[in-house]
Amino acid sequence: MILITGATGYIGRHLVARLVEQGERPRCLVRDIHRAAQFLPVEKIELVHGDTTQPETLPAALKGIDTVVHAAFITADRKVASSELYNKTNVGGTANLVKAAEEATVDRIIEISGLGTKPDKPGSYMQGRYLSEHLLIESRLQWTIIRPSVLFGKGAPFIKGLVDLIKTAPVVPLIGGGKVLFQPIHVDDVVSVILKTLQDPQGTSGKIYTIGGPEYYSFSQVFDELLQATHKHRLKVYAPTPLVGIGAAVMEAVLPRPPLTRAAMTLFSFDNTTDLQSVERDFGFRPRSFHEYLQTEGVL
Ligand SMILES: NC(=O)c1ccc[n+]([C@@H]2O[C@H](COP(=O)([O-])OP(=O)(O)OC[C@H]3O[C@@H](n4cnc5c(N)ncnc54)[C@H](OP(=O)(O)O)[C@@H]3O)[C@@H](O)[C@H]2O)c1
């Protein structure tokens, strides 16, 4: 029996849909049962109310579970009232979940992390990601960590943010000159990797998989692809990273859903890439091309 945390999230929703398609009935831990009904096929799954930051809600959710897919995180694109929420949810929530899993019948846990996770300043978004991975590594559970690059697919947050910017702004900002590389991977391919990991506990245990699509794109080239797909012409303007950081802080302070956050700026401090054959080599299939996806399906 599988428990999915973060089932109402972007990856979680796609994972639940595929598991249901396969005839499974996964258990989904959700914070708001009524809200979950908007995103999940509630009659085909088991819904359980819970919150990783509230440890008392976890034992009932984990009863009879052998595998947890952990995708309940505060992601970099979310506005947070205080950066303490990263620590509370991403570190504290994972610690609660691991502890409750160790005390229950759970054998293994699969964490959906992010490419480039590394130690950073105490209390920062990235440091929280790093610590959340380490909680698994140091646990008594069998663990697997999956670190995807940025995602594309219908409604994918990173791409949607850029498309919204193209649609509303007269110019588009090339953060830090637009040279940072990305390796966009389709959400369905990330789900296929999770499903293959679920099917192969022995082969995938104790491993960290960094996964990306079949091509690299500089940030500037990502904009080129999206401009072509939206049939728009925009001037791409060099935007120094410190200046964009200040802009992100201002947007976070005044907008309910800012297009850029200070945590998301972390993504521009390194190339979000792994080797181009990562998925084919480790999981035996070729992921979709971002360029071909945009050509055939456009921006949705
Ligand atoms: N999307 C991407 O482009 C992308 C790329 C690379 C890596 N990733 C990684 O993949 C993982 C999942 O990302 P995502 O895009 O699916 O995230 P998302 O859409 O923001 O969803 C986050 C999920 O976590 C849940 N959640 C947050 N706090 C919780 C708590 N205290 N207790 C229980 N549930 C809680 C949310 O529930 P509510 O519905 O109640 O808010 C939601 O279901 C993250 O680690 C992310 O960094 C994502």
Side-chain angles (χ1 to χ4, degrees), residues 5-13 29-32 35 39 50-54 70-78 88-90 93 111-115 125 129 146-152 156-158:
T5 73
T8 52
Y10 188 63
I11 293 177
R13 273 177 256 165
L29 177 105
V30 298
R31 292 191 287 188
D32 181 336
R35 192 171 162 270
F39 304 113
D51 183 321
T52 57
T53 64
Q54 295 171 9
H70 181 32
F73 291 96
I74 304 298
T75 52
D77 57 318
R78 301 278 155 165
K88 188 176 173 200
T89 307
N90 297 354
E111 177 170 321
I112 316 306
S113 183
L115 207 149
Y125 169 76
R129 301 305 321 242
I146 299 171
R147 294 177 172 171
S149 186
V150 294
L151 266 59
F152 67 95
F158 179 73

Side-chain angles (χ1 to χ4, degrees), residues 71-94:
F73 291 96
I74 304 298
T75 52
D77 57 318
R78 301 278 155 165
K79 169 176 169 151
V80 290
S82 150
S83 59
E84 180 48 28
L85 192 60
Y86 297 131
N87 203 32
K88 188 176 173 200
T89 307
N90 297 354
V91 187
T94 303

Side-chain angles (χ1 to χ4, degrees), residues 10-244:
Y10 188 63
I11 293 177
R13 273 177 256 165
H14 286 83
L15 174 61
V16 170
R18 287 275 287 283
L19 285 167
V20 165
E21 244 172 62
Q22 291 182 4
E24 301 205 34
R25 192 178 170 83
R27 187 180 296 165
C28 299
L29 177 105
V30 298
R31 292 191 287 188
D32 181 336
I33 299 250
H34 295 295
R35 192 171 162 270
Q38 291 172 27
F39 304 113
L40 299 172
V42 285
E43 68 291 350
K44 294 182 178 153
I45 60 176
E46 208 185 300
L47 269 185
V48 54
H49 176 259
D51 183 321
T52 57
T53 64
Q54 295 171 9
E56 67 282 5
T57 64
L58 299 175
L62 289 165
K63 199 157 182 239
I65 293 293
D66 50 61
T67 302
V68 176
V69 178
H70 181 32
F73 291 96
I74 304 298
T75 52
D77 57 318
R78 301 278 155 165
K79 169 176 169 151
V80 290
S82 150
S83 59
E84 180 48 28
L85 192 60
Y86 297 131
N87 203 32
K88 188 176 173 200
T89 307
N90 297 354
V91 187
T94 303
N96 294 334
L97 185 66
V98 165
K99 183 166 180 286
E102 284 176 335
E103 288 165 3
T105 50
V106 176
D107 296 322
R108 62 188 301 232
I109 180 163
I110 299 166
E111 177 170 321
I112 316 306
S113 183
L115 207 149
T117 296
K118 58 186 175 190
D120 202 350
K121 288 190 215 88
S124 64
Y125 169 76
M126 189 56 93
Q127 176 70 0
R129 301 305 321 242
Y130 173 73
L131 294 175
S132 78
E133 287 192 353
H134 263 261
L135 285 160
L136 263 73
I137 294 168
E138 285 156 14
S139 76
R140 295 199 300 270
L141 304 166
Q142 288 180 46
W143 58 267
T144 306
I145 293 166
I146 299 171
R147 294 177 172 171
S149 186
V150 294
L151 266 59
F152 67 95
K154 192 176 172 195
F158 179 73
I159 300 300
K160 185 177 180 309
L162 299 183
V163 170
D164 288 348
L165 201 63
I166 286 173
K167 287 183 178 162
T168 53
V171 294
V172 291
L174 289 186
I175 299 169
K179 293 197 179 72
V180 166
L181 295 177
F182 292 93
Q183 195 180 343
I185 180 164
H186 195 279
V187 62
D188 288 342
D189 292 327
V190 173
V191 169
S192 296
V193 163
I194 301 171
L195 294 178
K196 282 176 184 281
T197 302
L198 283 168
Q199 285 154 9
D200 182 13
Q202 297 305 322
T204 57
S205 175
K207 293 195 178 147
I208 298 179
Y209 293 100
T210 53
I211 57 168
E215 297 128 4
Y216 299 142
Y217 298 84
S218 68
F219 186 53
S220 179
Q221 288 171 324
V222 171
F223 264 130
D224 291 340
E225 292 287 338
L226 296 176
L227 286 167
Q228 198 185 9
T230 51
H231 310 290
K232 301 268 186 210
H233 298 279
R234 294 285 182 271
L235 196 61
K236 294 186 290 178
V237 183
Y238 171 69
T241 310
L243 200 65
V244 183

